[in-house]
Amino acid sequence: MPALDAFLQQKLELLAARHARRELRATGRGQGATVTRDGKSLISFSDNDYLGLSRHPEVLAAAAEALTRYGTGAAASRLVTGTHEAYAALESALANYKGTQSALVFGSGYLANLGTIPAIVGKGDLILADRLSHACMLDGARLSGATVMRYSHNNLDHARMLLEEHRAEHHHCLLITETVFSMDGDRAPLSALSTLCHEFDAWLMTDDAHGLGVLPREKNPADIQMGTLSKAAGGYGGYVCASRTCTDYLATTARSMMFSTGLPPASVAAATAALSIIAAEPELVAKPLANARRFTAALGLEPAQSAIVPLVLRENDKTLAAARELEEEGFLVAAIRPPTVPEGTARLRFAFSALHTDAQIDALAAIIRKKEWLCAQPA
Ligand SMILES: *Cc1c(COP(=O)(O)O)cnc(C)c1O
């Protein structure tokens, strides 16, 4: 075996021994919330297409039209010739929806975080991050060269303590948090965080990947609101909503935008159509949360705060086994393991969408009630 492969093979075996190896499994998408895997039809509680917009007729039509008119690719970075006509409508719709002066679209949510954070802060600055912030916020933070400190999840006292101790030694300070935590489904106390930031002369940046199209529109006090077009919007791409000055600055300094090709026009047109449905149909937007709450009520859990409900089983092997058992019963539920979540907090993660029927949710809850899994929940 070539040296590289021998080295990597050994690493793969170590991961497998810890039940930490991951595999890509071909999955087809069927009607409604169903998917197919290994020829078997499953009801998916693992998709982030919260409103089913990835296949909404108006979204498909907008994408098809842009595809025919502009072709499959953007042909260059947005700074060269990749800012095709379709961007203007999307960016003004985003700014409008989020209530900001301006918006800037990136290739993905990951790229938005990876480009924005290092464009704003750097060496000599301080980043305070919620301990459970998504990997791409933390990657952006690391890439910036700023000092990164993590405060305990949603713990304002801890954030304050770190600011009191370390703010003065640093030039600028950026506090980063998710609005809806992607693996826990709970929400950040945005207005209290904003007050804290003002008190310590810090900027606030939020990641709304799981909020857009799932929670009712509300005022977000953050200086920088990033998010993705790949979840409830059903397509692909990322964005930052902020002041015009901020997006102008990012457009000329965020390396993940400067040195990567613009989005395909069809993706931009699809997102624009999706956003107009999100803005126009609050009843549709209310569905995923209502479905998640139907599930938490059936299991006697705390009412869901978002479309995401975790069931923490702690150990990797136990979580994988639980996911396999659910798969045998016809449900696709993600087994989430470290490093996606902290060590010792492996979990089943249920994501609810507008496509789920009451009968599907009740059937899932009935199966889970028969297992021992609920006993493992942290108090
Ligand atoms: C999915 C996700 C992202 C990444 O967005 P993509 O558009 O998929 O790259 C960023 N932040 C959070 C919290 C996410 O859940």
Side-chain angles (χ1 to χ4, degrees):
M1 195 184 267
L4 175 61
D5 287 354
F7 169 66
L8 299 179
Q9 185 59 38
Q10 193 185 16
K11 289 202 164 248
L12 282 173
E13 280 159 19
L14 284 172
L15 284 169
R18 291 194 286 120
H19 303 283
R21 181 169 175 178
R22 294 148 190 248
E23 273 163 18
L24 301 170
R25 291 180 64 191
T27 310
R29 300 189 67 199
Q31 285 296 313
T34 61
V35 297
T36 52
R37 231 181 215 189
D38 305 328
K40 193 174 160 191
S41 175
L42 301 166
I43 298 156
S44 171
F45 286 90
S46 295
D47 285 359
N48 300 318
D49 183 13
Y50 293 116
L51 304 173
L53 294 184
S54 73
R55 286 180 296 177
H56 190 288
E58 285 167 34
V59 177
L60 294 180
E65 210 257 331
L67 182 68
T68 319
R69 189 143 147 219
Y70 301 111
T72 55
S77 155
R78 291 198 57 186
L79 283 174
V80 184
T81 57
T83 299
H84 41 78
E85 291 170 21
Y87 272 108
L90 176 57
E91 289 178 338
S92 76
L94 278 165
N96 236 325
Y97 188 79
K98 292 281 183 174
T100 57
Q101 259 178 1
S102 179
L104 183 69
V105 170
F106 286 74
S108 71
Y110 191 105
L111 290 172
N113 274 327
L114 214 63
T116 300
I117 298 171
I120 302 284
V121 287
K123 207 162 177 292
D125 297 332
L126 175 65
I127 293 175
L128 274 196
D130 187 289
R131 196 170 79 87
L132 298 187
S133 295
H134 193 265
C136 64
M137 296 201 102
L138 298 172
D139 288 354
R142 229 177 276 146
L143 198 60
S144 75
T147 308
V148 183
M149 293 184 180
R150 302 217 242 170
Y151 60 91
S152 312
H153 178 49
N154 276 346
N155 187 329
L156 285 152
D157 292 337
H158 190 213
R160 169 179 291 278
M161 203 186 84
L162 291 173
L163 284 164
E164 278 169 353
E165 212 164 313
H166 302 285
R167 175 67 187 91
E169 320 149 9
H170 295 88
H171 196 33
H172 303 294
C173 178
L174 180 70
L175 190 147
I176 58 181
T177 180
E178 293 180 42
T179 56
V180 171
F181 284 85
S182 58
M183 297 299 141
D184 293 76
D186 58 345
R187 297 169 62 178
L190 294 185
S191 85
L193 283 170
S194 167
T195 306
L196 189 68
C197 285
H198 281 128
E199 194 180 325
F200 286 89
D201 185 25
W203 300 313
L204 178 61
M205 174 170 173
T206 55
D207 179 333
D208 195 39
H210 297 276
L212 175 79
V214 177
L215 297 179
R217 178 154 39 160
E218 60 187 30
K219 189 158 164 37
N220 179 331
D223 300 283
I224 302 173
Q225 304 182 45
M226 71 71 60
T228 176
L229 302 166
S230 340
K231 286 166 182 160
Y236 201 67
Y239 63 85
V240 166
C241 288
S243 66
R244 164 72 57 193
T245 308
C246 183
T247 58
D248 281 353
Y249 180 75
L250 291 175
T252 184
T253 53
R255 295 172 63 86
S256 64
M257 206 207 62
M258 298 166 74
F259 299 111
S260 186
T261 302
L263 280 172
S267 293
V268 176
T272 310
L275 208 61
S276 82
I277 294 167
I278 290 171
E281 297 186 28
E283 282 153 42
L284 176 68
V285 169
K287 253 333 239 170
L289 178 60
N291 283 343
R293 288 195 170 156
R294 183 180 183 92
F295 178 74
T296 50
L299 293 183
L301 298 170
E302 287 287 307
Q305 292 180 41
S306 71
I308 299 158
V309 178
L311 207 56
V312 178
L313 301 184
R314 302 176 196 279
E315 292 96 34
N316 288 357
D317 51 350
K318 196 170 160 195
T319 308
L320 286 171
R324 270 195 303 272
E325 284 177 48
L326 288 177
E327 190 167 331
E328 277 157 26
E329 304 272 5
F331 298 99
L332 182 63
V333 178
I336 306 286
R337 291 165 283 163
T340 309
V341 291
E343 283 297 333
T345 70
R347 67 197 61 186
L348 293 173
R349 173 185 182 272
F350 301 88
F352 292 86
S353 87
L355 298 175
H356 289 122
T357 64
D358 289 353
Q360 289 169 336
I361 297 163
D362 296 348
L364 176 66
I367 285 165
I368 293 169
R369 271 201 306 266
K370 285 190 224 138
K371 312 273 182 188
E372 320 264 279
W373 305 335
L374 292 168
C375 311
Q377 289 317 287

